[in-house]
Amino acid sequence: MSPLRRVVVVGASLAGLRAAEALRRHGHAGELVLVGDEPHLPYDRPPLTKQFLNDGWRPEQIALPIAPGLDITWRLGVPASGLDVADHAVRLADGSLLHYDGVVLATGARARPWPGHLTPAGVHTIRGLDDAAAVAEALSRTRRLLIVGAGFLGGEVAAAARALGVAVTLVEPQELPLLAPTGPHVGRFVAALHRANGVDLHLGSRVQGFTSNGRDELTGAELTDGTHVEADLAVLALGATPNIEWLAGSGLVTDRGLVCDEHCQPLRDDRLPAPDAVAAGDVTQWPHPLAGNELISPGHWSNSVEQATAAAQTLLKPGTAPAYRPVPSFWSDLYGTRIRSVGLPHLADSSEVVDHDPAAHRLIVAYHRNGALVGALTANHTSQLVPYRAEIQRHLDSRPSRTRLVHD
């Protein structure tokens, strides 16, 4: 059984709940406290840009099941505001302190807002349940939707809106959608999907400002290519920012995320792991062999689940738990086309189309770095990922494990 009397999990979303489950499963019998900044119990985020928008799903349909017997003390609706590593305490925004014997840091990330000046009413982001509820309500009375950013989130919102018959304009500063994470082959494939489903796609252009009426309600946007786009609703899909501000002054290393070693232990300023602390999910950056042990942050559902389990094992059995070296995976559904990937395609220095059937919306792309397979992506070809995943796993298994991240 675990010798830890109290474990505090900071972050009551997917990673936090999975960490709590793993702690119980691997023997922690002491107190278990979950802290969350939202008032909601943990819920699943992927449906927020899919079924929640166009199928009328209700909040209870995306609630994550909580197994009986977890015996969790919930502190919801009260964000963490500070961490004292030496004193083993989490400070909450209401001024209270939670002392711990072990802590899991899983505060996730938030949607990146519009830079600079304020936006008119009708401009939204989607990251949490309340965001998605506001957009779903607005979509029911929207005629023209503007989406800024053609990544996976922006694409999924576009698909959901088109299923409702809403006119969609999608603006992307790169020359193709998804160019950075998946490369030009997939970018051209996804651009064709958008256009085939009636999306007005503006590539290589940016929104330079929103327009509004005399009541500060959105009427559209001006693009850098000189186009004026009419819209009565806009969704910003500009990426995510890790929630690390509350860790200021904690002595932990933050650099576009909470820097961890390959055992999910956050590093202090002296580059040693913080005692009795682990981290998981979108807030983290950690070294991966596929990236030459450079820091990565996949930001995917599967990573939150797998890293939370690994973090719990490290917290309960420090020094003996295996290194966290997954084969990352990701999925998205666009207009009925199932897109799935394994590995880290964005690391590739070359890619090749293995199969492409435009009529069936089928695609297989393999990604290599220095001649070694680092990723694969399929569209409507999910079963074909199995050999690619196996090859990447063999490559990982052949690489020696490191005990912790070392900085020069």
Side-chain angles (χ1 to χ4, degrees):
M1 304 297 283
S2 167
L4 305 176
R5 291 167 298 175
R6 174 192 275 178
V7 174
V8 175
V9 180
V10 189
S13 192
L14 177 66
L17 179 60
R18 292 293 182 259
E21 293 171 340
L23 286 165
R24 291 299 191 210
R25 189 167 60 248
H26 291 284
H28 174 60
E31 187 179 1
L32 191 53
V33 183
L34 255 71
V35 176
D37 61 342
E38 295 183 85
H40 313 292
L41 287 167
Y43 57 88
D44 209 15
R45 292 183 187 273
L48 293 179
T49 53
K50 304 178 181 74
Q51 298 92 337
F52 200 84
L53 292 185
N54 66 356
D55 288 344
W57 278 25
R58 299 179 300 277
E60 56 268 27
Q61 291 176 278
I62 63 170
L64 290 169
I66 299 172
L70 281 183
D71 191 21
I72 292 173
T73 299
W74 298 96
R75 296 293 303 270
L76 300 176
V78 184
S81 60
L83 178 68
D84 189 326
V85 173
D87 196 36
H88 281 49
V90 175
R91 184 172 63 254
L92 303 185
D94 62 5
S96 59
L97 283 178
L98 285 175
H99 288 277
Y100 63 82
D101 300 296
V103 67
V104 181
L105 310 176
T107 45
R110 63 188 182 278
R112 187 171 293 135
W114 183 251
H117 58 275
L118 297 176
T119 57
V123 179
H124 296 258
T125 58
I126 296 183
R127 183 70 186 184
L129 175 57
D130 295 339
D131 302 330
V135 172
E137 191 278 329
L139 272 175
S140 67
R141 48 186 169 79
T142 292
R143 293 181 298 132
R144 297 161 302 188
L145 169 66
L146 167 65
I147 303 172
V148 187
F152 283 112
L153 186 146
E156 288 171 358
V157 174
R162 290 301 297 137
L164 295 172
V166 175
V168 174
T169 298
L170 185 55
V171 178
E172 167 58 46
Q174 299 296 316
E175 62 188 44
L176 289 169
L178 299 169
L179 187 61
T182 64
H185 303 306
V186 175
R188 287 189 287 269
F189 178 87
V190 170
L193 277 179
H194 285 310
R195 291 188 172 113
N197 284 274
V199 171
D200 181 16
L201 192 59
H202 288 257
L203 300 174
S205 185
R206 299 176 182 270
V207 170
Q208 62 180 8
F210 295 100
T211 59
S212 62
N213 59 21
R215 298 181 298 276
D216 195 37
E217 298 169 333
L218 179 73
T219 59
E222 301 291 345
L223 306 188
T224 53
D225 63 8
T227 304
H228 175 75
V229 174
E230 294 185 351
D232 44 16
L233 176 67
V235 172
L236 306 178
L238 305 175
T241 300
N243 293 318
I244 54 176
E245 290 79 8
W246 73 283
L247 295 170
S250 66
L252 299 182
V253 181
T254 55
D255 176 17
R256 293 172 298 173
L258 176 60
V259 178
C260 300
D261 66 12
E262 65 174 5
H263 295 278
C264 310
Q265 297 173 288
L267 299 181
R268 306 180 309 195
D269 290 337
D270 61 6
R271 287 356 190 216
L272 295 176
D276 306 312
V278 292
D282 293 351
V283 73
T284 64
Q285 285 196 310
W286 42 277
H288 197 288
L290 288 180
N293 285 317
E294 295 179 2
L295 299 175
I296 67 165
S297 182
H300 300 327
W301 189 95
S302 60
N303 178 66
S304 291
V305 171
E306 296 166 359
Q307 193 175 28
T309 300
Q313 292 176 302
T314 293
L315 189 62
L316 295 176
K317 298 180 180 179
T320 62
Y324 178 57
R325 311 172 78 187
V327 177
S329 62
F330 178 75
W331 73 91
S332 183
D333 296 311
L334 295 177
Y335 312 104
T337 296
R338 308 186 71 182
I339 298 174
R340 304 291 185 265
S341 76
V342 294
L344 297 170
H346 73 278
L347 296 177
D349 54 31
S350 66
S351 61
E352 62 172 323
V353 176
V354 178
D355 183 43
H356 185 202
D357 183 346
H361 303 305
R362 288 184 176 178
L363 180 70
I364 302 175
V365 181
Y367 299 86
H368 294 83
R369 181 180 184 180
N370 298 325
L373 183 74
V374 292
L377 183 145
T378 67
N380 288 341
H381 250 323
T382 304
S383 63
Q384 300 301 310
L385 282 178
V386 174
Y388 292 106
R389 175 186 284 275
E391 183 176 343
I392 295 171
Q393 186 64 62
R394 285 193 296 271
H395 176 58
L396 287 175
D397 292 343
S398 69
R399 302 288 296 270
S401 178
R402 297 167 10 134
T403 56
R404 63 172 56 96
L405 179 65
V406 177
H407 287 260
D408 295 332

